[in-house]
Amino acid sequence: MKTTRVLGMVPISTIAIACSLLQAAPALAQEAAQAEEAAPTGDIVVTARKREETLLTTPIAIAAMPSEEIGQRGIISLTDLIDATPGINVTGNNSGRNDRSFQQISLRGFTPSTTDSTLTATFIDGVPVSSASALNSITDPARVEVLKGPQNAYFGRNAFAGAVNVVNKTPKSDFGGSMNASVFSRDGYDVQGSLEGPIARDILSFRISGRALERGGSYRNRANPNERLGDQRTRTVTGMLMFTPSSQLTMKVFGLYSEDNDGPAAQGMLSAYEVRSNNGVVNIPALSGNTNGTIIVPGLSNCTLNGVNPFICGQAPALPAAFSPAQNTYIDAKTSAVLADGRFRPVSPSDGVQGYGLKRKYLHAHANIDYQLGDTGITLSSLTGINDEKWSQMSELDNYDSSSLINTAATPTNGLLPYYNFPFAIERHNKDFSQELRASFDNGSMISGMIGANYMDTKVKRDLFNVYGEAVLGLARGAGTASAPQRVETKGIFGSVNIKPTDALEISLEGRYQRDKVFGFTGGLGATISAAAAAENGVPAGTYAPLTQFFSKNYDNFMPRVIVNYKITPEIMAYASWSKAANVSISSFNARLFSGTAGEIAASQSLGLRGITVPEKLTNYEIGLKGRAFDNKLIFALSAYYGDWKNQYNTRSVFFVDNSLNPPLSSTVTGIANSGRTKVKGIELDTTILPMEGMSLTFSGAYNDTNIRSFNDPAITRVTGVTGDGFKGNSLPLTSKYSFAITPQFSGDIPGRDNATWFIRSDVNYKSRQFLDAANLTWIGSRTVVNGRVGVKLDNIGIEVFANNLLNNKQYTSIQQNNLQTPGGALAARPFSYLVVGLPELRTFGIKGSVTF
């Protein structure tokens, strides 16, 4: 009977490509030689503290999962992963769209308020990457390490709620490779391959990998029935060179290039207002007092807020089937010409979208160098990394079929779109460079430690590109289109001392002193700042040219962590920790408050924005118990935490009619403010039970509670009337308080054939409701997703049959509020008049084949 290798189960945690990793379960039986070399359950090596430790002896709530488990679960995108792991939520819903242009991670209930304020840092081989979405591009990693709780002491800025580190496979000394291919519902396929081997044996080796992924959307576009919503396409290539000229020196150089080319996003709309088309003229009965015309947007309001605002309260209802999802995505000559114009844009037309959807190009490269100083126990390390990400996305922000509404600005000769539509493009170019140097000491004595320094320079160019103004209204593009660039420069010194007075007791003292320098730039119109405005907002007075730096501010923070861990038995460890964290957003400076049209400045002032914000702060307490018992038949990890989150960033935004323009134009402004304080607490439990050979049962559960103590957002108050203490006791949005996952698996040998195994497994994943905003008046319901997979492996060939979302659960994956757009901006003064909901991938069947050589 062949030995079956079992992969460890550890606390639930974070993100995307790592999400599924947090529920451990047995892998397929390996060949005999591999089984003999396999580490026992829980002995997976991780680098959560910048040194190699085993999973169950690391005193941090951490999850680590090898590549076998990633492949066995069939995870191919971040969207898939949000269903797979308790204690984590991921959303791509922002500014009227739900796509892969950005993906926010809510770990342990720490919901980031803005895409510029990431609270969970992401890394490849310990080198920071520009966005969580970049982890989609890693093909066949060696493992993923997910760290929960503040990790600023080791990982620096943005590791406020946790960190995710994807570790690549290193090249082997012999030639080999692998290939797997899946085909699945709606014309989907996923093909991956790798090749590795020596260039100069024992000195220089290589590994290359590639991926081609395409998945068809689950929904037909009711405004364009020949089109599906949710189509995704990804192409990725990676390469690594490893140079080992001596036993003391190791150099690894890794590069990645990825392209995404997606269609219109899978999203629907729920409107509080009914909209009718009356012979091509818009009619909103709530404003006109009559019901003339044909319904094109049904009103779903079931409550009235603040005495005047129709709203949707309680659980978000099902989509009105005859009306949504619908997006006017036809591309006419005028819109094509607008998209071909590169003026005042951060992404060139050749790199940008040519229609509705998302186009992204991502480049990452890094070099890791480790040098051991003889037998001293001292290791010198260098990590150098670069990221260059460009993405361009165009959405139809009204999210309904408006083709029956006449565009009064169009004539037979001016080429404008003949019907009303509201297209906007959002573009961003992210670039960063990072360098870390460190020296670590560990000679097996009572004391070990590390000291290091790091530098990171992050630059962002972004824009909300008003295609509506040009393609629908025929307005000329002006310099005001260009948004202010952003930049933050980070320098840090960090270190740790680990003391082991006994074999059972260890005390770790860790800390980082960090300086974040945030730069302020003007937008395309430049800025004139009066003495009064300068004094009120802490910026210099004067007149400044467009797109120039005129201000910078340093934020200095010390972020310590103390951990005490004790081995109760050789197999069970208890730990306790205290830590402080700080988060500095690249958007700490609200440029639109000074640099924009008169209407944009006034709108920013109406949101209560200030020029400069202060860092978010967190004090966190955690205790944990992890280990194994009953001769490895029970593997468990239990953690509990409590945190006090102060100076919480919150995004504030408003749609408005900019009357300072001629003609007036519907527009939007967004900024961030320190407007909240929240208490966070939770309990996480992961267990794997192995009652007999060939059978395992994994249970993962999380209770993540967020309790708002103070909150202030004029935009929410304007709609709901909730203010001040009215928010107290509420939960943060876009996070589930309760979640669990159950995974039974059976596996064994195929009788009568050597090197042949089979397995069958099911994954049942549950997440409770998510609130729309801090008012907690509206939410999306709980969601249960069931996946199943059956497979066999014959020597080096495997085949699997799978079903995802077997019960075809249609509950929304995310929710956000937006303004209902109509000709003339009739509802601009009625903010948040409709909801954008993220739509899940529907039932998917497929088959997968794999081979190793």
Side-chain angles (χ1 to χ4, degrees):
M1 179 71 69
K2 293 173 62 61
T3 303
T4 300
R5 179 181 177 187
V6 178
L7 302 176
M9 180 63 206
V10 287
I12 10 188
S13 178
T14 185
I15 124 175
I17 199 167
C19 293
S20 73
L21 313 181
L22 308 183
Q23 313 156 37
L28 284 171
Q30 306 295 306
E31 295 187 1
Q34 292 175 311
E36 292 171 358
E37 297 173 0
T41 299
D43 285 347
I44 300 170
V45 174
V46 296
T47 53
R49 297 192 291 176
K50 304 279 188 177
R51 64 180 190 266
E52 292 189 348
E53 301 173 282
T54 59
L55 186 64
L56 292 181
T57 60
T58 304
I60 298 172
I62 177 176
M65 188 64 62
S67 61
E68 296 95 326
E69 186 74 4
I70 300 173
Q72 190 176 6
R73 287 185 175 271
I75 302 301
I76 60 175
S77 76
L78 293 178
T79 303
D80 297 337
L81 295 175
I82 64 173
D83 293 328
T85 306
I88 185 171
N89 297 88
V90 180
T91 179
N93 200 338
N94 187 55
S95 298
R97 69 193 197 278
N98 174 54
D99 58 29
R100 297 197 294 174
S101 59
F102 82 102
Q103 289 175 302
Q104 286 184 324
I105 303 164
S106 177
L107 171 60
R108 282 186 166 180
F110 286 86
T111 302
S113 65
T114 169
T115 56
D116 297 320
S117 179
T118 304
L119 299 178
T120 302
T122 49
F123 300 83
I124 299 174
D125 293 333
V127 177
V129 296
S130 58
S131 67
S133 300
L135 299 187
N136 266 332
S137 302
I138 296 296
T139 301
D140 192 22
R143 65 182 184 274
V144 178
E145 303 171 355
V146 183
L147 291 71
K148 297 184 289 181
Q151 306 297 325
N152 297 79
Y154 281 117
F155 292 96
R157 188 168 59 89
N158 298 136
F160 192 81
V164 179
N165 184 31
V166 178
V167 180
N168 283 295
K169 290 180 177 177
T170 56
K172 295 180 180 178
S173 57
D174 296 315
F175 282 104
S178 66
M179 177 167 286
N180 65 73
S182 304
V183 292
F184 41 88
S185 305
R186 296 176 290 278
D187 304 316
Y189 64 85
D190 183 22
V191 179
Q192 301 183 51
S194 65
L195 181 67
E196 60 188 342
I199 298 175
R201 187 166 293 277
D202 299 327
I203 296 178
L204 182 63
S205 54
F206 77 95
R207 176 180 171 83
I208 58 174
S209 65
R211 182 180 203 176
L213 167 67
E214 193 151 333
R215 60 195 309 175
S218 295
Y219 302 88
R220 287 292 171 184
N221 184 354
R222 293 195 174 276
N224 184 358
N226 294 322
E227 179 179 65
R228 292 181 301 202
L229 300 177
D231 286 355
Q232 296 180 352
R233 182 179 183 271
T234 296
R235 300 291 186 266
T236 299
V237 61
T238 70
M240 176 182 286
L241 289 174
M242 186 167 72
F243 181 51
T244 53
S246 71
S247 60
Q248 294 175 296
L249 177 63
T250 301
M251 301 175 62
K252 291 183 288 187
V253 179
F254 175 80
L256 177 157
Y257 179 75
S258 179
E259 291 189 1
D260 295 332
N261 197 344
D262 299 350
Q267 61 194 44
M269 73 95 75
L270 304 169
S271 175
Y273 287 85
E274 180 180 285
V275 179
R276 292 173 175 254
S277 176
N278 184 17
N279 294 319
V281 178
V282 66
N283 178 27
I284 303 172
L287 304 182
S288 68
N290 65 69
T291 58
N292 297 335
T294 302
I295 295 176
I296 57 175
V297 177
L300 302 175
S301 172
N302 59 2
C303 61
T304 300
L305 302 180
N306 210 18
V308 295
N309 298 311
F311 207 68
I312 300 172
C313 296
Q315 181 173 325
L319 293 178
F323 300 92
S324 186
Q327 300 172 41
N328 293 318
T329 56
Y330 295 100
I331 298 296
D332 65 318
K334 179 63 175 178
T335 303
S336 293
V338 171
L339 293 176
D341 185 350
R343 292 176 301 155
F344 311 117
R345 290 171 57 184
V347 176
S348 68
S350 61
D351 290 328
V353 289
Q354 281 77 50
Y356 290 90
L358 167 71
K359 188 175 180 181
R360 183 212 308 268
K361 294 183 178 181
Y362 176 68
L363 173 67
H364 167 87
H366 69 254
N368 290 19
I369 303 174
D370 294 298
Y371 181 71
Q372 298 177 1
L373 294 179
D375 297 326
T376 63
I378 298 175
T379 300
L380 305 179
S381 301
S382 170
L383 290 82
T384 308
I386 61 169
N387 293 282
D388 192 319
E389 180 185 37
K390 299 177 183 178
W391 60 260
S392 172
Q393 194 274 352
M394 188 168 76
S395 291
E396 197 262 285
L397 294 188
D398 51 26
N399 274 299
Y400 65 93
D401 186 357
S402 56
S403 59
S404 63
L405 298 177
I406 296 172
N407 177 17
T408 56
T411 69
T413 58
N414 64 13
L416 297 180
L417 195 68
Y419 59 88
Y420 172 79
N421 202 19
F422 199 70
F424 263 75
I426 301 173
E427 298 184 326
R428 182 170 296 203
H429 186 186
N430 304 316
K431 296 179 66 175
D432 64 61
F433 167 81
S434 64
Q435 175 64 57
E436 178 180 305
L437 299 172
R438 67 175 187 268
S440 56
F441 170 75
D442 188 355
N443 65 356
S445 63
M446 182 179 72
I447 298 177
S448 61
M450 180 189 64
I451 187 169
N454 81 296
Y455 171 83
M456 186 171 184
D457 189 9
T458 302
K459 300 176 181 179
V460 176
K461 294 181 180 179
R462 61 176 185 168
D463 193 22
L464 182 65
F465 176 30
N466 192 339
V467 181
Y468 161 73
E470 297 182 53
V472 179
L473 299 184
L475 302 180
R477 186 183 308 179
T481 297
S483 297
Q486 297 173 313
R487 182 186 177 194
V488 61
E489 187 180 56
T490 301
K491 300 175 182 178
I493 299 174
F494 60 94
S496 65
V497 176
N498 307 289
I499 306 169
K500 292 191 69 173
T502 70
D503 289 340
L505 177 66
E506 180 182 32
I507 302 171
S508 300
L509 307 175
E510 308 162 356
R512 173 183 293 262
Y513 176 81
Q514 183 164 292
R515 168 168 287 182
D516 293 289
K517 185 176 183 179
V518 177
F519 296 84
F521 291 82
T522 60
L525 295 178
T528 298
I529 304 174
S530 67
E536 180 182 356
N537 291 280
V539 298
T543 299
Y544 303 96
L547 305 178
T548 58
Q549 177 196 328
F550 74 99
F551 169 75
S552 66
K553 181 176 176 60
N554 292 329
Y555 295 94
D556 296 325
N557 292 286
F558 177 64
M559 295 166 284
R561 181 169 68 179
V562 178
I563 305 175
V564 178
N565 60 287
Y566 183 77
K567 286 188 175 181
I568 301 172
T569 73
E571 301 293 339
I572 299 176
M573 178 191 71
Y575 68 89
S577 68
W578 167 86
S579 59
K580 283 185 172 290
N583 181 49
V584 177
S585 171
I586 196 172
S587 293
S588 295
F589 173 69
N590 287 307
R592 284 293 186 191
L593 192 60
F594 313 102
S595 182
T597 67
E600 289 171 332
I601 293 173
S604 298
Q605 293 170 337
S606 75
L607 293 173
L609 299 178
R610 293 186 56 82
I612 304 171
T613 61
V614 299
E616 299 178 281
K617 296 292 183 71
L618 173 66
T619 302
N620 191 75
Y621 306 87
E622 185 170 319
I623 57 174
L625 186 70
K626 58 169 65 174
R628 48 194 173 192
F630 306 116
D631 193 26
N632 277 356
K633 287 184 170 55
L634 173 64
I635 305 129
F636 65 91
L638 175 67
S639 60
Y641 64 92
Y642 173 82
D644 186 3
W645 183 3
K646 300 179 181 178
N647 300 334
Q648 182 181 343
Y649 288 140
N650 292 110
T651 296
R652 297 180 180 181
S653 63
V654 63
F655 270 95
F656 67 102
V657 175
D658 193 341
N659 291 307
S660 66
L661 299 175
N662 187 20
L665 180 65
S666 294
S667 189
T668 180
V669 294
T670 300
I672 65 170
N674 296 111
S675 56
R677 180 178 183 180
T678 301
K679 304 287 188 178
V680 294
K681 63 180 183 292
I683 300 173
E684 303 153 330
L685 172 65
D686 293 326
T687 59
T688 296
I689 302 171
L690 309 171
M692 63 183 68
E693 185 176 3
M695 177 182 177
S696 72
L697 177 65
T698 297
F699 173 81
S700 305
Y703 165 76
N704 304 108
D705 180 51
T706 58
N707 190 304
I708 294 174
R709 308 314 300 158
S710 64
F711 188 84
N712 179 26
D713 188 333
I716 294 178
T717 297
R718 189 178 300 121
V719 177
T720 66
V722 178
T723 184
D725 285 344
F727 292 104
K728 194 171 184 178
N730 288 352
S731 299
L732 292 178
L734 302 180
T735 184
S736 297
K737 189 172 185 177
Y738 304 99
S739 53
F740 68 81
I742 302 174
T743 302
Q745 175 164 308
F746 302 88
S747 61
D749 296 328
I750 298 176
R753 196 189 190 291
D754 294 335
N755 299 322
T757 59
W758 62 270
F759 81 92
I760 181 171
R761 66 179 290 153
S762 176
D763 299 287
V764 181
N765 308 302
Y766 168 83
K767 294 188 189 299
S768 65
R769 65 182 179 178
Q770 301 176 44
F771 288 109
L772 167 67
D773 57 31
N776 285 189
L777 298 174
T778 306
W779 60 85
I780 56 175
S782 60
R783 187 163 186 256
T784 303
V785 176
V786 179
N787 301 325
R789 188 170 290 254
V790 178
V792 296
K793 187 172 184 181
L794 309 175
D795 296 317
N796 63 335
I797 298 175
I799 188 167
E800 302 171 14
V801 177
F802 59 88
N804 295 331
N805 196 6
L806 183 61
L807 302 183
N808 209 32
N809 188 294
K810 298 180 180 180
Q811 185 56 259
Y812 308 130
T813 59
S814 61
I815 186 171
Q816 192 194 43
Q817 49 205 359
N818 213 328
N819 271 52
L820 185 62
Q821 301 298 325
T822 60
L827 292 172
R830 305 284 184 100
F832 304 147
S833 45
Y834 88 93
L835 306 176
V836 181
V837 289
L839 304 179
E841 182 90 2
L842 297 182
R843 183 188 294 117
T844 301
F845 294 106
I847 186 169
K848 175 183 177 181
S850 61
V851 60
T852 59
F853 53 90

